[in-house]
Amino acid sequence: MTEQHSPQFERGTDGPKVIVVGVDGSDSSLRAAAYAGGLARRQHALLAVVYVQPVLAAGAALGAPVAGTTDEIAEDLVAQIRDAAERLKGIFEVRWEFHTFPGDPYNGLMQAADELKADAVVVGASQQAGHRIVGSVAVRLVKAGRWPVTVVP
């Protein structure tokens, strides 16, 4: 009979290396970004801030300026994040990147987490009444069971 040793725990090396957070400009998504930023800082992880840019084929067919509007939202989010990062410079250092992915929020975050090799996903809690019936993005990500998912209220 051979003796088995349990693996040695090394402080500071077992946490997530890439944390994906979904943002859409809502209050809950911005709270999720703040939470994920603190987690990334404590874990010395890369914070990947992801905005899923809606693809609204019906709106585009009717002549609605969908792409321009969602580009403006993405630019505004980047400006808000840069502003917050600048205010905290020298106090808290967090490595972060901003990414946009096309599609619906669930599939966009799934694609982002896969492509960015996420170790954890953070999202804000949905505040839409219909999600109680259909299921929120957060619930669907948890059910996918591919990463630890933190839902921030």
Side-chain angles (χ1 to χ4, degrees):
M1 182 174 217
T2 61
E3 189 176 321
Q4 292 185 353
H5 297 282
S6 38
Q8 183 85 13
F9 175 77
E10 297 179 45
R11 182 177 293 279
T13 60
D14 291 344
K17 299 296 181 219
V18 177
I19 300 169
V20 166
V21 60
V23 295
D24 62 6
S26 67
D27 288 343
S28 65
S29 78
L30 297 176
R31 284 192 298 272
Y35 179 88
L39 183 60
R41 179 184 54 81
R42 289 186 300 279
Q43 296 292 331
H44 305 287
L46 172 67
L47 177 63
V49 180
V50 174
Y51 170 62
V52 179
Q53 197 163 17
V55 177
L56 303 172
L62 296 173
V66 175
T69 302
T70 58
D71 286 344
E72 287 174 21
I73 292 170
E75 289 169 15
D76 184 52
L77 289 171
V78 170
Q80 287 181 45
I81 295 163
R82 282 202 175 113
D83 182 51
E86 195 60 37
R87 284 193 317 266
L88 297 174
K89 199 171 200 161
I91 300 169
F92 298 115
E93 296 297 325
V94 176
R95 293 181 305 123
W96 65 277
E97 301 172 346
F98 183 81
H99 300 270
T100 59
F101 284 82
D104 66 275
Y106 171 72
N107 287 313
L109 286 172
M110 291 274 291
Q111 179 185 356
D114 282 342
E115 287 185 19
L116 300 170
K117 299 182 179 2
D119 296 303
V121 177
V122 179
V123 293
S126 175
Q127 297 170 337
Q128 295 181 4
H131 287 170
R132 291 187 190 112
I133 299 165
V134 178
S136 69
V137 171
V139 169
R140 293 172 66 195
L141 287 169
V142 169
K143 286 182 177 180
R146 295 169 61 181
W147 320 270
V149 177
T150 302
V151 182
V152 178

